């Protein structure tokens, strides 16, 4: 093994000499001044030899017996090794690429079906292979390089990609992240992906992370054409990565300030029970409102049959009825909805998105408790009044018209604003967050059954 590495280093040095000579002929005499054919041929031969040696060295790392040609060729066909050092010898020998831009493939690791595996990637266990591409891009960048990649929003909002965010932060002290929903319009027509455009740069000075809000737009109204012109970045200051290592999707001062004021060392999970009669329910896939219920929403077959709880309903359990009412009110608030948009994938309300919500029940005053309990009761009645049956997949499912109950939700947010000390501007931001789409004709939930 040692002899193989030493031989590769010798051949790499030889290829470097040929490359430098070829480069000098081009730069000192001009590309057409002399015949470079012989020099190009020698360089190609040197790089081919280096490439073949690297193929076999890499195969050994995969425990392939390279003395058995059939075994080597089978591995080579499945892994198709690409050696950046050989393919871009001049660039890599000088430290890497100045600029890397791209749109990596989005594919769950599990769908590779064992076709090939990777070694020595810190992101090897990330569930989507785009993480591998980002890690590779970082390693190919030179010490002052810049990177721009279009990737899924999980790069900012999924806990399982924390190692990828570590790599981003440690290799680019300046980060810009712009975030894009997929409803009502998509960033790329026909591609139902929630996306983040990640820009990274290495520069002298302090580190800083900048973010936009979670953008929505109406594809039918031509808003896509002006989307990039209205991007607005704000410095996250101390906010990034404070909550489970995530990058919050916020882009205005009010959102950042609200994030700081609602941050809490206590989480809702501290006040939950394994089981009790005081339950709060929700459907995992929300629309433009996060709907939480005191009674589980139901569904029944169109053709007739017994009623049942509709699909993908989750629940939490509280100690007593007052706690249940307070949590029910808070989770239906626009304050929680903005937290959900900032810190989650924007598509699913997972149990952790509820249990990890920064929330301290013990901090609420007696008056605040009374107000939220009353508003919970009022909201529950309004939700029942505005519930209708919607046809989907052969079922009649209960569906709440959330825009109709928004006035009660606004009252809940006003009570929470006093509790958290929001300014008038911050409260206005919360009350009107995503208001165009939440109150529009597409505001009805996107829930699956």
């Amino acid at each position: 093994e040692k002899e193989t590495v030493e031989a590769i280093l010798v051949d790499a040095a030889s290829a470097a000499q040929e490359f430098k000579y070829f480069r000098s002929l081009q730069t000192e005499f001009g590309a057409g001044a002399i015949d470079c054919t012989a020099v190009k041929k020698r360089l190609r031969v040197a790089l081919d030899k280096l490439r073949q040696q690297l193929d076999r060295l890499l195969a050994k790392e995969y425990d392939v017996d390279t003395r058995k040609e059939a075994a080597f060729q089978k591995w080579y066909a499945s892994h198709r090794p690409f050696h950046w050092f050989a393919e871009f010898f001049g660039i890599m020998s000088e430290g890497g690429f100045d600029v890397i831009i791209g749109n990596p493939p989005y594919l769950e690791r599990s769908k590779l079906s064992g076709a090939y595996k990777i070694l020595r990637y810190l992101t090897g266990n990330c569930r989507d292979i785009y993480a591998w591409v980002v890690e590779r891009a970082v390693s190919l960048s030179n010490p002052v390089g810049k990177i721009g990649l279009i990737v899924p929003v999980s790069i900012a909002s999924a806990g399982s990609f924390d190692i990828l965010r570590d790599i981003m932060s440690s290799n680019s002290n300046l980060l810009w992240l712009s975030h894009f929903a997929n409803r009502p319009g998509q960033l790329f027509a026909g591609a139902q992906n929630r996306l983040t455009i990640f820009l990274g740069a290495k520069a002298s000075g302090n580190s800083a992370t900048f973010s936009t809000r979670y953008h929505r737009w109406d594809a039918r109204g031509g808003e896509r054409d002006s989307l990039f012109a209205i991007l607005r970045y704000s410095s996250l200051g101390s906010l990034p990565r404070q909550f489970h290592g995530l990058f919050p999707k916020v882009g205005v001062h009010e959102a950042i300030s609200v994030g700081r004021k609602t941050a809490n060392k206590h989480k809702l999970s501290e006040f939950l029970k394994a089981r009790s009669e005081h339950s709060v329910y929700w459907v995992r896939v929300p629309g433009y409102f996060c709907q939480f219920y005191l009674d589980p929403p139901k569904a029944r077959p169109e053709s007739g049959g017994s009623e049942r709880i509709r699909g993908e309903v989750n629940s939490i359990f509280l100690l007593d009825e007052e706690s249940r009412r307070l949590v029910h009110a808070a989770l239906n608030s626009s304050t929680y909805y903005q937290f959900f948009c900032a810190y989650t994938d924007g598509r699913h309300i997972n149990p952790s998105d509820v249990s990890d919500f920064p929330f301290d029940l013990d901090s609420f005053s007696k008056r605040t408790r009374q107000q939220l309990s009353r508003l919970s009761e009022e909201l529950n009645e309004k939700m029942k009044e505005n519930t209708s049956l919607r046809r989907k997949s052969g079922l009649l499912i209960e569906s709440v018209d959330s825009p109709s109950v928004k006035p009660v939700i606004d009252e809940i947010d006003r009570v929470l604003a006093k509790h958290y000390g929001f300014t008038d501007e911050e409260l206005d931001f919360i009350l009107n967050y995503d208001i165009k789409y939440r109150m529009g004709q597409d505001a009805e939930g996107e829930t699956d059954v």
Side-chain angles (χ1 to χ4, degrees):
E1 198 74 35
K2 180 179 179 182
E3 291 76 11
T4 303
V5 173
E6 289 177 349
I8 289 175
L9 292 175
V10 170
D11 288 334
S14 175
Q17 286 297 111
E18 293 291 353
F19 179 81
K20 288 180 181 178
Y21 181 50
F22 179 65
R23 172 75 60 85
S24 69
L25 293 179
Q26 289 182 309
T27 57
E28 294 177 22
F29 299 101
I34 59 174
D35 186 3
C36 299
T37 303
V39 180
K40 288 173 66 175
K41 183 176 180 180
R42 290 203 307 270
L43 177 58
R44 188 178 298 112
V45 169
L47 290 176
D48 283 343
K49 183 179 180 181
L50 180 60
R51 191 180 296 114
Q52 291 169 16
Q53 289 176 310
L54 290 170
D55 285 345
R56 292 187 178 271
L57 181 62
L58 183 61
K60 290 179 180 178
E61 293 190 28
Y62 281 84
D63 298 322
V64 176
D65 187 349
T66 56
R67 295 170 299 181
K68 298 178 179 179
E69 191 62 22
F72 170 73
Q73 291 299 334
K74 181 180 180 181
W75 171 85
Y76 183 88
S78 63
H79 285 69
R80 305 296 295 177
F82 185 93
H83 306 289
W84 291 88
F85 182 65
E87 305 298 338
F88 293 90
F89 185 83
I91 293 172
M92 297 310 298
S93 64
E94 295 177 357
F97 290 87
D98 294 330
V99 177
I100 297 175
I101 59 174
N103 184 12
Y106 315 148
L107 181 68
E108 291 184 8
R109 187 182 74 242
S110 60
K111 294 182 179 179
L112 291 176
S113 302
Y116 65 88
K117 62 180 179 179
I118 60 169
L119 299 176
R120 300 193 307 276
Y121 272 69
L122 295 174
T123 57
N125 290 326
C126 288
R127 67 173 183 265
D128 195 300
I129 68 170
Y130 84 80
W132 304 350
V133 179
V134 175
E135 181 178 354
R136 191 59 163 149
V138 168
S139 71
L140 296 173
S141 177
N142 71 31
V144 291
K146 296 176 174 62
I147 298 176
L149 298 171
I150 305 171
V151 294
V153 76
S154 55
I155 198 172
S157 302
S160 58
F161 288 83
D162 197 42
I163 185 63
L164 181 58
R165 289 186 289 274
D166 285 342
I167 292 171
M168 293 163 56
S169 298
S170 61
N171 287 276
S172 297
N173 63 322
L174 295 177
L175 296 174
W176 292 267
L177 302 124
S178 51
H179 310 286
F180 307 91
N182 67 336
R183 296 189 182 184
Q186 295 86 47
L187 193 57
F188 303 106
Q192 286 289 350
N193 296 104
R194 294 163 172 80
L195 299 173
T196 292
I197 297 180
F198 150 55
L199 304 174
K202 303 171 185 176
S204 59
N206 296 326
S207 298
T209 301
F210 303 87
S211 175
T212 70
R213 63 182 173 89
Y214 191 39
H215 284 277
R216 299 186 191 274
W217 61 96
D218 184 354
R220 296 165 298 186
E223 294 177 22
R224 170 64 175 79
D225 296 337
S226 59
L227 184 60
F228 290 108
I230 62 172
L231 286 183
R232 176 182 173 186
Y233 290 87
S234 290
S235 172
L236 296 179
S238 61
L239 198 60
R241 313 209 63 189
Q242 285 189 353
F243 182 75
H244 295 313
L246 305 179
F247 290 122
K249 300 185 289 296
V250 291
V252 296
H253 170 75
E254 290 80 7
I256 295 168
S257 181
V258 164
R260 291 196 184 102
K261 290 181 178 180
T262 54
N264 200 304
K265 65 179 180 180
H266 296 285
K267 299 185 295 184
L268 180 56
S269 59
E270 298 175 30
F271 305 94
L272 301 181
K273 308 295 291 184
R275 180 68 60 177
S276 81
E277 60 182 11
H278 307 288
S279 309
V280 174
Y281 304 87
W282 75 95
V283 179
R284 182 170 178 257
V285 183
Y288 297 112
F289 286 80
C290 295
Q291 297 175 340
F292 289 81
Y293 307 83
L294 295 178
D295 299 298
K298 304 293 180 57
R300 60 179 173 81
E302 278 192 83
S303 57
S306 60
E307 186 179 68
R308 62 175 175 82
I309 297 176
R310 61 180 295 179
E312 291 199 272
V313 170
N314 292 302
S315 60
I316 53 174
F317 304 96
L318 285 303
L319 175 64
D320 52 39
E321 185 61 21
E322 183 187 58
S323 299
R324 179 194 191 211
R325 292 289 185 174
L326 266 60
V327 169
H328 172 248
L331 292 178
N332 276 290
S333 69
S334 296
T335 302
Y336 178 80
Y337 175 75
Q338 194 273 329
F339 165 85
F340 167 78
C341 291
Y343 283 104
T344 77
D345 66 2
R347 176 60 172 164
H348 307 102
I349 308 178
N350 295 309
S352 61
D353 300 328
V354 176
S355 62
D356 290 344
F357 179 47
F359 196 72
D360 183 4
L361 270 173
D362 293 337
S363 68
F364 289 93
S365 67
K366 181 178 179 180
R367 176 173 172 76
T368 299
R369 287 170 175 270
Q370 291 172 339
Q371 291 175 318
L372 290 178
S373 294
R374 175 182 57 79
L375 288 168
S376 167
E377 183 176 351
E378 184 176 343
L379 178 63
N380 187 46
E381 291 303 315
K382 287 291 184 183
M383 291 176 74
K384 289 180 179 179
E385 291 172 10
N386 290 279
T387 294
S388 59
L389 295 178
R390 183 160 60 96
R391 289 183 173 86
K392 186 171 184 179
S393 304
L395 293 172
L396 295 174
I397 61 176
E398 292 182 349
S399 179
V400 175
D401 177 33
S402 283
S404 297
V405 303
K406 180 70 160 55
V408 183
I409 294 175
D410 288 350
E411 289 304 311
I412 292 172
D413 282 297
R414 291 187 177 94
V415 173
L416 292 175
K418 290 182 180 179
H419 172 74
Y420 289 115
F422 293 166
T423 64
D424 290 343
E425 292 77 12
E426 291 161 0
L427 174 59
D428 185 69
F429 165 76
I430 289 294
L431 295 179
N432 293 288
Y433 185 80
D434 261 357
I435 193 70
K436 174 181 177 180
Y437 307 105
R438 300 181 80 192
M439 301 300 287
Q441 62 180 3
D442 295 324
E444 188 174 332
E446 303 168 11
T447 49
D448 295 333
V449 175

